[in-house]
Amino acid sequence: MGNNYSHQLDNILRTVGSVADQNNMETYVIGGYVRDLILKIPSKDMDFVVAGSGIELAEKVGERLRCKREVVVFKNYGTAMLKYRNVELEFVGARKESYNRNSRKPIVENGTIKDDQLRRDFTINALAISLNDKSFGELTDPFDGLKDLRDKIIRTPLDPDITFSDDPLRMMRAIRFACRLNFNIAPDTEKAISRNRERIKIVSMERVIDEINKFMVLDKPSRGWLLMQKTGLLDMVLPQLSKLKGVEIKEGCGHKDNFYHTLQVLDNVASSSDKIWLRWAALFHDIAKPNVKKFINGTWTFHSHEFIGAKMIPSLFKNLKLPLGEPMKYVQKLVGMHHRAIPISNKEITDSAVRRLMYDAGDDLDDLLLLCEADITSKIEEKRIRFLNNYQIVREKIKQLEQKDFLRTWQPPIDGNYIMKVFDLQPCKLVGQIKDCIKNAILDGVIENSFEAAEKLMFEEGKKYGLTAVKQ
Ligand code: ATP
Ligand code: MG
């Protein structure tokens, strides 16, 4: 019979097969593990389907592997999970599923292996390999999944309109697999995603974002966003990004298409850093451009888009159910500052401008510079090289200044508490003003970075406001 993979199968699979034979249970390894085995991609997790009770087989396998206590049973779902030496084994009884219109939760009844394959999302995820001794290693492939693997195609086993309408999360999974495996989505399947795009609304945003983050970590995350845009899912999930698409022309003058520019910037940062939040910052760096776009004196302007963009970040994060703590603050900061380095890199660089950038960016300075460099997407080679060189100069300058005065962790030598103590003040605006004045004087190089110089200036400033020192 057809393809046999017995020589490539892990020992764990032999053990599961042997336990299944002892208990007279027809058992297969199915889904992602089989797909990745054929594609020669390492994968750790194994899904098993059994004609009978998945929970029973899991418990028997747990006994054999002497890790019965590790078996976690999900009675409601009829599944059981077992962790064995870093591998997650998941067991389910073969089932038939039917759906109702308002929920992704199916009505489940017992079924055959073929029924179980039919409920799978894609042909390449429906491949099963038999584990019973008499047919160990044999592939069961009722929908030509092997051919789709070879042709690099994502296709649903059933009518795609039914597959996607039943569980719309599968539309996101199609895009994620297309990105990760570098496959194309079959034209019929892709069209069905477009037709069913509104159905994504019944999926929780957490699940959608989970899929998005799975393609955001890949080498070329733009592919996922392009597919989202092409199928119309982007309008449902993140319409603000959709709005970046398009070029308007007035008096013969057009601006760049900010959607494709953004995706290029995203891929650029992805090629230089694995940090997921830097990638989100790249995705959002120009998000406010459509809101501030103006045509003035024959040219397009996007004034203040970075500040308005930063202001949009909290509500974007909230809608997308992204974490609202540190990651949000970080993205907000980078979006808000992504134009700060440009004037510095364009003109004669002064120490004080670079110091200010270092102070404001703090620990995120390196990431900010990566974003700024990634933002250079000009097609004119000469221009690109010139801009990149300018950033090189900024980086050199930072290195020099860093050695000079450890500015990244720098705090002014006098803080608000000291000012309040000296002048016997309660917390008030004046304290902040004096503190800022000292900070600015040091950053601008007007006074030296020492306690004595700072204290002297503090007394001078205090005098201006009629303050006298109670402590000397
Ligand atoms: P990954 O490498 O991300 O784990 P996977 O294909 O193993 O990929 P899982 O989410 O682990 O994906 O699911 C295991 C298998 O279960 C899939 O291969 C597929 O057969 C099936 N499956 C998972 N989610 C769905 C779904 N929403 N609809 C239909 N089948 C699904
Ligand atoms: Mg898996």
Side-chain angles (χ1 to χ4, degrees):
M1 258 215 20
N3 294 287
N4 192 298
Y5 292 87
S6 59
H7 56 290
Q8 295 177 46
L9 296 183
D10 194 289
N11 267 338
I12 297 177
L13 297 174
R14 287 186 188 276
T15 307
V16 173
S18 139
V19 175
D21 273 330
Q22 260 176 13
N23 294 279
N24 261 331
M25 293 165 127
E26 187 188 346
T27 300
Y28 299 79
V29 60
I30 190 166
Y33 181 85
V34 179
R35 179 197 67 220
D36 292 347
L37 177 86
I38 298 171
L39 289 175
K40 301 193 167 41
I41 301 174
S43 86
K44 279 203 310 245
D45 304 339
M46 299 173 176
D47 294 282
F48 301 99
V49 60
V50 191
S53 162
I55 296 175
E56 196 186 325
L57 180 61
E59 282 171 344
K60 296 248 153 72
V61 170
E63 265 166 42
R64 172 76 72 89
L65 295 174
R66 296 182 206 289
C67 54
K68 191 156 182 230
R69 266 179 301 166
E70 304 280 320
V71 180
V72 185
V73 174
F74 304 94
K75 254 214 166 100
N76 289 345
Y77 295 96
T79 63
M81 219 255 306
L82 157 61
K83 200 145 191 171
Y84 178 70
R85 298 186 179 154
N86 249 349
V87 185
E88 264 180 25
L89 316 182
E90 195 152 344
F91 297 81
V92 61
R95 55 173 61 174
K96 233 185 187 153
E97 289 183 344
S98 49
Y99 287 80
N100 82 34
R101 192 87 203 131
N102 302 316
S103 159
R104 294 184 51 224
K105 282 218 186 77
I107 302 154
V108 173
E109 50 190 315
N110 293 340
T112 61
I113 299 296
K114 175 87 192 278
D115 290 329
D116 201 279
Q117 284 175 298
L118 264 175
R119 77 174 176 90
R120 304 276 157 173
D121 47 4
F122 307 112
T123 58
I124 60 165
N125 285 348
L127 297 162
I129 292 178
S130 170
L131 299 181
N132 296 99
D133 195 43
K134 67 174 184 351
S135 49
F136 187 77
E138 271 172 26
L139 185 74
T140 306
D141 177 17
F143 318 113
D144 265 346
L146 199 54
K147 181 172 185 308
D148 286 343
L149 268 188
R150 291 202 182 108
D151 296 345
K152 296 174 161 263
I153 282 178
I154 312 276
R155 184 201 314 276
T156 57
L158 289 170
D159 173 349
D161 282 305
I162 296 172
T163 300
F164 292 136
S165 174
D166 279 353
D167 177 1
L169 182 69
R170 293 166 180 162
M171 302 191 280
M172 295 299 307
R173 285 173 58 89
I175 291 175
R176 188 248 291 188
F177 285 121
C179 285
R180 190 177 105 197
L181 304 172
N182 205 7
F183 278 30
N184 289 311
I185 302 177
D188 278 0
T189 301
E190 195 175 299
K191 280 185 203 131
I193 298 180
S194 290
R195 281 195 294 275
N196 289 279
R197 61 183 181 274
E198 301 251 353
R199 296 279 295 152
I200 199 72
K201 287 185 184 148
I202 70 161
V203 181
S204 75
M205 190 51 96
E206 286 87 346
R207 298 303 299 268
V208 173
I209 278 295
D210 204 36
E211 294 298 329
I212 290 177
N213 271 331
K214 283 183 182 162
F215 68 67
M216 278 295 258
V217 300
L218 300 172
D219 288 350
K220 238 182 140 196
S222 65
R223 274 205 84 206
W225 293 108
L226 282 171
L227 282 168
M228 299 252 323
Q229 196 279 325
K230 198 167 162 212
T231 52
L233 281 172
L234 193 61
D235 289 325
M236 303 292 121
V237 176
L238 187 47
Q240 296 87 342
L241 189 64
S242 235
K243 270 171 64 189
L244 293 185
K245 191 161 180 295
V247 176
E248 203 176 328
I249 298 175
K250 268 192 188 163
E251 298 171 16
C253 172
H255 56 78
K256 68 182 165 213
D257 185 310
N258 286 302
F259 179 69
Y260 295 111
H261 163 71
T262 291
L263 295 190
Q264 179 66 57
V265 177
L266 172 62
D267 283 352
N268 287 350
V269 295
S271 72
S272 54
S273 165
D274 287 339
K275 284 191 187 164
I276 180 83
W277 299 113
L278 177 56
R279 295 176 182 204
W280 278 100
L283 190 78
F284 286 149
H285 81 286
D286 278 348
I287 199 77
K289 274 195 170 171
N291 308 30
V292 300
K293 181 166 101 171
K294 282 201 181 83
F295 189 74
I296 304 172
N297 298 334
T299 48
W300 290 102
T301 68
F302 299 92
H303 277 311
S304 301
H305 73 274
E306 65 275 32
F307 304 121
I308 310 282
K311 279 199 186 133
M312 289 166 70
I313 298 298
S315 67
L316 285 165
F317 265 58
K318 213 163 146 218
N319 291 342
L320 294 170
K321 299 280 192 292
L322 289 168
L324 299 177
E326 288 305 316
M328 186 193 84
K329 281 193 214 137
Y330 165 90
V331 171
Q332 195 169 28
K333 180 170 166 187
L334 290 198
V335 171
M337 290 187 71
H338 83 272
H339 267 212
R340 277 282 303 276
I342 296 173
I344 299 178
S345 69
N346 279 347
K347 59 178 189 219
E348 204 41 33
I349 306 174
T350 64
D351 281 8
S352 71
V354 177
R355 276 205 180 101
R356 216 165 266 283
L357 181 73
M358 290 165 76
Y359 180 77
D360 290 342
D363 285 343
D364 303 318
L365 181 62
D366 288 331
D367 293 351
L368 179 68
L369 289 174
L370 284 182
L371 177 60
C372 291
E373 284 161 344
D375 200 9
I376 303 169
T377 61
S378 169
K379 300 242 168 12
I380 304 162
E381 180 79 356
E382 180 275 319
K383 233 175 159 180
R384 235 187 37 242
I385 291 176
R386 182 156 45 90
F387 289 164
L388 282 172
N389 273 342
N390 285 346
Y391 279 110
Q392 216 33 56
I393 299 172
V394 175
R395 282 179 186 279
E396 283 300 315
K397 194 88 204 170
I398 287 169
K399 231 192 252 159
Q400 288 167 13
L401 287 178
E402 221 168 25
Q403 284 164 356
K404 225 157 107 188
D405 45 24
F406 306 103
L407 253 172
R408 283 212 207 196
T409 50
W410 180 78
Q411 286 297 325
I414 280 180
D415 66 7
N417 283 333
Y418 187 75
I419 298 169
M420 289 192 287
K421 214 156 106 190
V422 170
F423 294 122
D424 191 24
L425 290 170
Q426 294 299 311
C428 64
K429 224 168 132 187
L430 190 53
V431 177
Q433 278 169 4
I434 296 174
K435 205 177 86 181
D436 279 350
C437 172
I438 294 169
K439 182 188 87 187
N440 290 333
I442 296 173
L443 288 176
D444 291 338
V446 177
I447 64 167
E448 130 196 344
N449 181 16
S450 73
F451 179 80
E452 289 71 28
E455 196 184 40
K456 187 160 164 266
L457 181 60
M458 177 188 75
F459 285 129
E460 283 166 21
E461 279 301 298
K463 222 182 209 165
K464 279 191 206 161
Y465 295 106
L467 300 175
T468 42
V470 293
K471 175 197 168 286
Q472 286 277 7

